[in-house]
Amino acid sequence: MTIEQLHGKLISKEIKVEELVHQYYEKIEAKDKDISAYISLCKDNAMKNAVLIQERINQNKDITPLTGIPMAIKDNMCTKDSKTTCGSKMLENFEPPYNATVVEKLESSGSILLGKLNMDEFAMGGSTENSAFKKTKNPYDLSRVPGGSSGGSAACVAADMAVFTLGSDTGGSIRQPASFCGVVGLKPTYGTISRYGLVAFASSLDQIGPITKTVTDAGLVLNATAGKDKYDSTSSERNIADYNEYLKKDIKNIKLAVPRQYLASGISAEVKDSILNAINEYEKMGIVCEYVDLKLADYAIAAYYIISSAEASSNLARYDGIKYGYHSENYTNLIELYKNSRSEGFGAEVKRRIMLGTYALSSGYYDAYYKKALQVRTLIKNEFDKIFETYDGIIGPTAPTTAYKIGEKSEDPLEMYLGDVYTVSVNIAGLPAISIPCGFDSHHLPVGLQIIGKAFDERKILQIAYAYEQQSSFQGLIKEAK
Amino acid sequence: MEYEVVIGLEIHVELATETKIFCDCTTAFGGEVNTHCCPICTGMPGTLPVMNEKVVEYAIRAGIALNCEIAHFSKMDRKNYFYPDLPKAYQVSQFDLPLCKNGYVDIEVDGKIKRIGITRIHMEEDAGKLIHDQWGTGSLIDYNRCGVPLIEIVSEPDIRSAEEAKAYVEKVRSIIQYIGASDCKMQEGSLRADVNLSVRPIGQEKFGTRTEMKNLNSFKSILRAAEHEQRRQISEIEHGNIIVQETRRWDDTKGKSYSMRSKEEAHDYRYFPEPDLVPIELTDEQISKIRKELPELPEDRVNKYINDYQLPEYDAKLLTVSKNISDFFEQAVTSGANPKKASNYIMGDLMKLMNQYDDEAIPFDGDKLAKLISLVEAGTISQNIASKVLSMMYETRKDPAAIVKEENLAVVNDESALSEMIENIIAQHTKSVNDYLGGNTKAIGFLIGQVMQKSKGKGNPQMISRLLEEKLNKLK
Amino acid sequence: MKITKHTVDYVANLARLNFNDEEALKLSAQMEDILAYMDKLNSLNTENVIPMEHVKPVSNIFRKDMVSPSFDREQILRNAPVKEDGAFKVPKIVE
Ligand SMILES: [Mg+2]
Ligand SMILES: [Zn+2]
């Protein structure tokens, strides 16, 4: 059931918060041993909160659309006094002494945190295979990956082990798993949701966003989590009261751009078919869809991996075995403590990116790599701006393929990186984008349609996504997820 | 061969803000270890910095007072390196776009004015402190100082002697104190200087290889370290050795510097723009507003002292070297003290005492000096006793009147008590008495001195001399 | 760009990481591959293009200079693997 539907039942007292929370823990009990979406559960707290929130509902006090709704968050958002691992051995036992701003906001909205979700270590990866703890399975096919890095967050919603979840998206980490798991994943404009308390991967690209079953739900979660935060200098002052404001507005005047480069080489035939069908559906609604050039799309991955790895190399330098986190037992001096703690505590992909990023910033290479990537970043943003002078949104695939087999790609890092081809430029340009289900391939694996919008134009992309969701025959098929 | 020394200085100054640069923790000095800390200043995962507006304001004030151009666009950068006192493993600092650049300050050495260029002033965060644990088994980290705002003032290599280096630091310190940007307490580490020094044969244009001595925190150590390093480099060269570019540690107790090369490695700080902070953009209006509100600088006060208080230039300059002293002087004058008299006490007794106790400030307020001066003017105490009272004030911080009373230091005006003393002296010193009576009137001076001594300096001199003359004349 | 063992060692030391010979060999090959891919950026002319450090052109975000209570020391130290006398502890640092 969706947030919208459950909200009705909670308010009409058809169902009690405690019952609902209990039901969700039963579902988790039944399904998560196969899916492995959760890293930790906070059942005692959740049950306690359920009682308090029910009291709120009984008194009809401070009710929001999320009041009493069970949810879960990616394990890279800090929860006070309870473990926040980032999917890493490095932070296996880390208990932050403070809450992330999103956690505070969700708590005050009255939604109930069920637990924390699996992810690629420090959000680096596209399959959740880089978690230090477990591999999350795709609910549509347990032999396949759920995508990543927010694989736990997407699989959790697909298997209905929470009504909604939060993920984080640095280069596609919300949208790609949403696509693989047949759910809705929204990456808001950079600065929309506070990053305070989100364990940093790449500060200039990271953004938290909702993973939900419907477009409406995504807007509802955005309403509860967006807004200026005095603890995040990069959070936006923009104050949008209702991101769902345009959902039901007439969309006849909307013009969509389809980048040719997004349907060229590298995309699987079946994914391409689904996207072409979706374009067809939009045209049937009377929306103009036109092919455009996004020439720099090919350069986005290179720029993205330089920028994100460089920032990561600095952001992850603080894990040194001294203040928190994994501490090697094997050292005789400070430098050994540093090197051994970091080498034993981080996984291979994280180390690889730290190496890449350190290299790109090191003396003599800064201009050739980091500065060059930032210049290309300017060019990519300009190219998007140009398109948005004419079009309201850009549509195309979220990922070049559907979910692949566990272990299928994990050996070749570059090949993994190339899977982010349609998502990273959105982070590079700081734009909002949503992935919504738009069909199945022949293995009955979901395909995701990505809709990219102008900066701070979430309302528009939600409207465009909603229109498709209402018309498409895909609606309803989500129930088939195991 | 004759050599010339070339010195450039980097001065780190802790700003006088209430809170740290990126979080709301206090900057107060001396708290229990790790009690002025939060997740932000200890670099916990997920935390983000937000710039303290006062840091920017103080840094701009410093830039203006040191004749810099203030940047209309400036940004923060990360300087990456691992050290346990740096919890994020990067220091947020400024790299290519500092807030202030191209300034200067005029110093005076041996009566000659010299202009020292200031390359740049940038903002950055301070690091924590390492303490050796009591068992000697490891080092302990205290993050209280971590995140305290600093400005780093980088000079041009314009300094040509250790004395100039010291004068430069004194001048910069005084200016920073005047504008209220920092208390510059060197003992508490609020002002530390790094000395970059090289030598070259006189006439050679190319700079020699330089060494750096970090974290010197007294004028004395700056002077001694620079002198020592200059001698060391010249001697190395004269012995046919080459100077290695390195960081050296100055040991002030041993009066020696040590190479730190053993633990040093290639510095590759991988500076890049801090993505968690937004740039600082300033309009001309914002800058000129701060300029207008800038507190009085030493030069302003020198002029005021010469023109309004009729002090000699020498006094005016000496009094204004330190803001503490200048403030003290102004308090005394506002409380009614004669400016020249106040100046004499400060430049004489008080500066001596400050030197003796190695103090950076006088431990009582200027109005107490004014009270002391009025006690002298009223004849309650003598000039000599005033010096004694002043040193007691310095030690006890008590009111001068209270000290005079408690210590029974007021001038003795009691005629009968003095008469008795005089009679005793006359009886004891018959030779001088006879000399006087024999026509040597100068002999009375000795007798007056004896009475003064007897009265422990408290006797009213006029009264003593009148009484003595009366009594001696009776013996004629 | 050739990534030699020496480069891997240099960068690993800067990043405070250890790699054994086998790992270093694999890593240098992977880095070489990835960097070769990144070199495609060189085909773009970026002369006079301003590097984009922030995606949103915002400046001057400040906080007021007002003290809030700091955290309890126990909270600051709770995750520290080695601590002593209210402080984080590291192996002795010799200067
Ligand atoms: Mg510095
Ligand atoms: Zn703090």
Side-chain angles (χ1 to χ4, degrees):
Chain A
M1 259 186 288
T2 66
I3 297 173
E4 253 186 319
Q5 292 162 341
L6 283 169
H7 179 68
K9 289 185 192 290
L10 286 165
I11 296 310
S12 66
K13 311 219 171 63
E14 195 179 311
I15 184 165
K16 288 179 106 179
V17 182
E18 293 152 80
E19 268 172 69
L20 186 60
V21 172
H22 187 73
Q23 281 173 19
Y24 268 92
Y25 276 116
E26 282 187 332
K27 273 192 223 182
I28 294 167
E29 177 91 19
K31 295 181 181 181
D32 204 43
K33 51 186 188 302
D34 293 330
I35 293 172
S36 299
Y38 280 93
I39 288 182
S40 61
L41 297 172
C42 44
K43 195 168 177 180
D44 289 350
N45 243 328
M47 295 312 297
K48 244 184 270 167
N49 283 340
V51 177
L52 298 174
I53 298 296
Q54 185 60 50
E55 196 56 31
R56 256 202 231 178
I57 293 174
N58 295 345
Q59 292 172 8
N60 198 14
K61 214 178 70 194
D62 302 326
I63 309 277
T64 79
L66 301 190
T67 303
I69 304 292
M71 54 93 185
I73 60 177
K74 190 176 181 178
D75 208 19
N76 59 352
M77 297 171 216
C78 287
T79 42
K80 189 174 188 298
D81 303 338
S82 72
K83 279 179 190 162
T84 300
T85 69
C86 264
S88 180
K89 184 173 166 188
M90 184 57 89
L91 289 179
E92 188 167 5
N93 297 308
F94 176 60
E95 292 178 352
Y98 75 103
N99 273 329
T101 298
V102 275
V103 172
E104 294 277 330
K105 284 193 162 224
L106 285 175
E107 213 163 77
S108 72
S109 78
S111 61
I112 298 197
L113 181 67
L114 300 174
K116 311 275 303 272
L117 298 162
N118 199 21
M119 56 185 284
D120 283 305
E121 183 177 7
F122 283 99
M124 295 174 187
S127 65
T128 314
E129 290 166 288
N130 293 336
S131 165
F133 307 116
K134 47 173 86 169
K135 289 184 171 40
T136 299
K137 318 298 185 309
N138 191 311
Y140 279 90
D141 177 346
L142 297 179
S143 70
R144 290 174 190 269
V145 301
S149 65
S150 310
S153 302
C156 182
V157 173
D160 197 28
M161 295 191 289
V163 183
F164 73 88
T165 62
L166 291 184
S168 68
D169 190 316
T170 306
S173 283
I174 288 174
R175 291 159 287 156
Q176 184 256 26
S179 164
F180 280 16
C181 292
V183 290
V184 174
L186 173 66
K187 184 211 98 81
T189 310
Y190 182 79
T192 299
I193 297 178
S194 168
R195 292 184 293 120
Y196 190 75
L198 169 69
V199 179
F201 161 14
S203 312
S204 79
L205 302 161
D206 293 343
Q207 182 57 210
I208 294 172
I211 295 179
T212 56
K213 292 167 191 160
T214 64
V215 173
T216 309
D217 280 3
L220 293 175
V221 178
L222 194 56
N223 284 343
T225 49
K228 177 73 194 163
D229 180 10
K230 65 173 181 169
Y231 292 112
D232 179 357
S233 312
T234 63
S235 67
S236 169
E237 309 264 0
R238 234 165 265 250
N239 198 350
I240 292 168
D242 181 13
Y243 283 93
N244 282 340
E245 193 185 343
Y246 301 167
L247 279 195
K248 286 163 191 165
K249 283 200 175 152
D250 186 19
I251 61 157
K252 288 260 152 53
N253 292 323
I254 278 177
K255 284 180 81 177
L256 295 178
V258 184
R260 283 187 192 92
Q261 287 76 6
Y262 278 17
L263 294 171
S265 62
I267 188 168
S268 91
E270 289 189 286
V271 170
K272 187 172 174 176
D273 280 348
S274 291
I275 301 303
L276 292 175
N277 283 337
I279 293 168
N280 217 352
E281 294 240 15
Y282 274 117
E283 283 175 330
K284 275 193 253 163
M285 292 176 222
I287 290 174
V288 175
C289 298
E290 288 172 349
Y291 282 95
V292 296
D293 271 322
L294 200 57
K295 290 208 180 81
L296 296 172
D298 276 355
Y299 299 90
I301 288 181
Y304 168 80
Y305 276 93
I306 293 168
I307 296 167
S308 64
S309 303
E311 291 182 10
S313 73
S314 174
N315 283 330
L316 272 65
R318 70 190 65 196
Y319 306 105
D320 58 8
I322 296 173
K323 297 141 306 192
Y324 38 73
Y326 180 81
H327 172 88
S328 173
E329 291 302 328
N330 162 33
Y331 63 91
T332 57
N333 57 36
L334 180 68
I335 210 121
E336 282 178 15
L337 169 61
Y338 279 144
K339 289 187 174 175
N340 294 342
S341 295
R342 290 168 61 76
S343 300
E344 293 161 26
F346 287 137
E349 179 61 22
V350 170
K351 285 189 266 193
R352 190 153 44 230
R353 303 228 196 164
I354 291 174
M355 288 291 286
L356 268 177
T358 305
Y359 178 81
L361 290 174
S362 69
S363 169
Y365 298 103
Y366 181 90
D367 284 4
Y369 290 103
Y370 193 68
K371 187 176 169 206
K372 182 81 183 180
L374 292 187
Q375 288 174 314
V376 173
R377 194 171 184 184
T378 303
L379 297 178
I380 291 173
K381 175 151 191 300
N382 292 347
E383 195 176 36
F384 274 113
D385 288 349
K386 193 98 191 100
I387 293 175
F388 286 121
E389 281 172 15
T390 316
Y391 299 94
D392 301 287
I394 296 171
I395 60 168
T398 304
T401 67
T402 54
Y404 44 85
K405 293 272 190 192
I406 291 170
E408 189 182 326
K409 280 195 190 176
S410 50
E411 264 313 292
D412 183 355
L414 186 56
E415 193 194 335
M416 276 298 271
Y417 299 173
L418 297 178
D420 300 336
V421 57
Y422 308 130
T423 47
V424 291
S425 48
V426 166
N427 301 74
I428 292 267
L431 303 173
I434 192 168
S435 178
I436 57 171
C438 72
F440 287 107
D441 70 2
S442 50
H443 299 286
H444 199 73
L445 295 168
V447 177
L449 173 74
Q450 180 175 223
I451 305 161
I452 305 166
K454 239 183 282 191
F456 300 105
D457 213 6
E458 281 81 1
R459 284 173 294 187
K460 189 70 68 59
I461 60 170
L462 286 167
Q463 179 193 7
I464 297 165
Y466 182 79
Y468 178 83
E469 185 185 63
Q470 297 311 299
Q471 307 262 334
S472 80
S473 50
F474 186 76
Q475 175 76 345
L477 291 180
I478 199 162
K479 294 184 203 85
E480 294 179 25
K482 282 168 201 154
Chain B
M1 207 187 301
E2 290 277 339
Y3 291 91
E4 176 181 54
V5 65
V6 176
I7 300 173
L9 283 162
E10 287 160 33
I11 302 178
H12 286 92
V13 175
E14 284 184 357
L15 297 177
T17 55
E18 298 292 320
T19 65
K20 293 186 178 182
I21 183 165
F22 301 129
C23 68
D24 295 339
C25 290
T26 175
T27 55
F29 179 77
E32 269 214 57
V33 293
N34 292 309
T35 54
H36 298 167
C37 298
C38 73
I40 298 170
C41 54
T42 53
M44 288 207 197
T47 57
L48 299 170
V50 182
M51 178 61 94
N52 180 343
E53 60 179 3
K54 213 68 187 167
V55 171
V56 180
E57 189 192 322
Y58 284 157
I60 296 172
R61 276 199 211 175
I64 294 171
L66 295 170
N67 306 298
C68 292
E69 298 158 19
I70 310 299
H72 289 101
F73 184 93
S74 173
K75 67 173 169 72
M76 306 305 291
D77 298 278
R78 290 187 186 177
K79 178 182 183 180
N80 296 283
Y81 64 96
F82 286 87
Y83 205 64
D85 64 4
L86 194 65
K88 299 187 293 287
Y90 56 81
Q91 180 193 32
V92 178
S93 180
Q94 296 196 279
F95 183 52
D96 55 337
L97 298 172
L99 189 63
C100 318
K101 56 178 198 236
N102 299 336
Y104 64 84
V105 64
D106 290 333
I107 60 167
E108 197 179 321
V109 174
D110 297 333
K112 271 182 281 181
I113 306 275
K114 181 171 177 183
R115 179 157 292 186
I116 307 296
I118 289 171
T119 319
R120 56 185 279 157
I121 304 175
H122 66 252
M123 304 175 282
E124 60 185 25
E125 54 182 335
D126 208 345
K129 260 186 189 158
L130 289 171
I131 330 160
H132 292 294
D133 84 331
Q134 52 178 326
W135 315 111
T137 56
S139 299
L140 304 180
I141 318 167
D142 174 11
Y143 285 129
N144 281 353
R145 199 182 64 181
C146 199
V148 168
L150 294 176
I151 48 173
E152 181 176 329
I153 305 166
V154 182
S155 87
E156 291 287 305
D158 288 346
I159 296 164
R160 290 293 174 271
S161 71
E163 290 74 28
E164 283 183 18
K166 178 171 174 264
Y168 167 78
V169 178
E170 276 175 346
K171 189 63 183 280
V172 168
R173 175 175 185 258
S174 152
I175 290 172
I176 299 296
Q177 284 177 334
Y178 273 93
I179 57 170
S182 172
D183 58 18
C184 296
K185 286 187 186 159
M186 294 175 87
Q187 290 140 330
E188 294 182 6
S190 321
L191 187 149
R192 286 113 63 186
D194 302 347
V195 175
N196 293 296
L197 187 147
S198 64
V199 297
R200 62 180 171 189
I202 285 185
Q204 178 183 307
E205 227 180 276
K206 201 172 150 272
F207 289 137
T209 306
R210 66 185 166 90
T211 61
E212 182 174 19
M213 282 173 295
K214 283 186 180 292
N215 287 328
L216 301 173
N217 62 355
S218 73
F219 292 122
K220 199 182 81 190
S221 62
I222 291 167
L223 192 66
R224 291 177 66 213
E227 280 169 348
H228 176 273
E229 182 60 11
Q230 176 181 351
R231 279 197 303 273
R232 189 191 69 85
Q233 288 191 13
I234 292 172
S235 141
E236 291 283 343
I237 293 168
E238 305 233 291
H239 285 86
N241 300 326
I242 54 159
I243 305 298
V244 193
Q245 184 167 348
E246 62 180 349
T247 302
R248 297 183 67 86
R249 187 171 60 84
W250 172 252
D251 185 328
D252 207 39
T253 43
K254 296 211 177 86
K256 271 185 165 172
S257 67
Y258 299 91
S259 171
M260 287 171 76
R261 226 177 326 151
S262 54
K263 53 161 279 188
E264 219 175 351
E265 50 178 298
H267 283 308
D268 189 341
Y269 291 127
R270 290 155 286 137
Y271 279 101
F272 76 104
E274 165 59 282
D276 290 328
L277 287 165
V278 300
I280 296 156
E281 287 186 272
L282 297 163
T283 61
D284 286 331
E285 291 72 49
Q286 287 167 307
I287 297 166
S288 56
K289 183 167 179 283
I290 294 175
R291 188 186 298 274
K292 271 189 221 114
E293 290 165 1
L294 206 65
E296 239 177 356
L297 289 171
E299 279 78 5
D300 303 327
R301 289 201 181 180
V302 168
N303 289 332
K304 184 168 78 181
Y305 294 179
I306 295 173
N307 299 325
D308 299 358
Y309 300 157
Q310 275 81 47
L311 287 188
E313 192 183 329
Y314 177 80
D315 291 37
K317 279 189 173 164
L318 193 61
L319 287 174
T320 51
V321 166
S322 141
K323 178 169 189 287
N324 288 327
I325 291 176
S326 173
D327 284 348
F328 179 90
F329 168 74
E330 296 200 357
Q331 281 170 354
V333 173
T334 336
S335 307
N338 171 298
K340 182 57 191 160
K341 281 185 181 160
S343 165
N344 288 347
Y345 277 113
I346 294 170
M347 295 192 312
D349 292 311
L350 283 170
M351 283 193 176
K352 223 178 283 165
L353 287 161
M354 285 173 77
N355 253 327
Q356 185 186 323
Y357 289 96
D358 206 10
D359 280 340
E360 291 178 6
I362 297 161
F364 55 88
D365 289 342
D367 63 327
K368 286 191 177 149
L369 177 64
K371 283 184 193 164
L372 181 76
I373 291 171
S374 72
L375 287 176
V376 177
E377 282 172 344
T380 313
I381 54 170
S382 66
Q383 232 15 287
N384 283 340
I385 290 293
S387 289
K388 194 171 168 188
V389 174
L390 204 51
S391 64
M392 291 170 89
M393 286 162 73
Y394 202 96
E395 281 160 24
T396 64
R397 291 138 174 78
K398 280 186 185 163
D399 205 66
I403 292 173
V404 168
K405 192 165 173 231
E406 281 169 29
E407 303 290 321
N408 197 20
L409 293 171
V411 168
V412 175
N413 283 315
D414 181 340
E415 249 191 71
S416 61
L418 286 175
S419 288
E420 204 185 309
M421 279 181 218
I422 288 167
E423 274 157 24
N424 284 330
I425 293 293
I426 289 176
Q428 282 163 23
H429 298 279
T430 46
K431 186 176 177 293
S432 300
V433 171
N434 287 336
D435 285 353
Y436 178 82
L437 294 175
N440 182 2
T441 48
K442 278 185 189 155
I444 196 167
F446 171 77
L447 293 167
I448 292 175
Q450 291 300 308
V451 182
M452 273 309 265
Q453 217 173 49
K454 192 94 188 166
S455 74
K456 299 197 174 83
K458 293 180 290 179
N460 180 334
Q462 282 84 32
M463 194 178 281
I464 293 173
S465 114
R466 181 174 53 82
L467 290 171
L468 191 61
E469 258 176 71
E470 278 172 21
K471 287 189 198 293
L472 286 171
N473 287 339
K474 272 186 204 157
L475 294 175
K476 268 185 183 164
Chain C
M1 181 59 70
K2 181 88 190 132
I3 301 297
T4 60
K5 167 105 173 34
H6 175 262
T7 308
V8 171
D9 287 348
Y10 174 78
V11 177
N13 183 52
L14 278 182
R16 295 288 184 271
L17 290 171
N18 283 328
F19 297 99
N20 62 32
D21 286 353
E22 192 193 328
E23 288 170 329
L25 202 69
K26 194 168 154 194
L27 192 59
S28 67
Q30 287 173 336
M31 284 175 73
E32 218 168 282
D33 261 15
I34 296 164
L35 290 166
Y37 178 80
M38 287 168 175
D39 284 338
K40 75 192 286 178
L41 295 185
N42 294 330
S43 65
L44 288 175
N45 181 6
T46 51
E47 221 182 296
N48 300 323
V49 175
I50 297 166
M52 192 168 86
E53 285 153 9
H54 287 278
V55 64
K56 245 178 354 139
V58 174
S59 57
N60 298 355
I61 303 293
F62 299 123
R63 20 174 287 277
K64 291 259 173 273
D65 185 26
M66 294 243 297
V67 178
S68 300
S70 289
F71 272 52
D72 283 344
R73 185 158 71 188
E74 292 63 46
Q75 291 286 3
I76 296 301
L77 290 168
R78 66 183 288 177
N79 291 290
V82 187
K83 49 198 158 188
E84 187 179 299
D85 295 340
F88 302 90
K89 188 175 178 185
V90 292
K92 195 166 181 174
I93 293 162
V94 271
E95 268 193 282

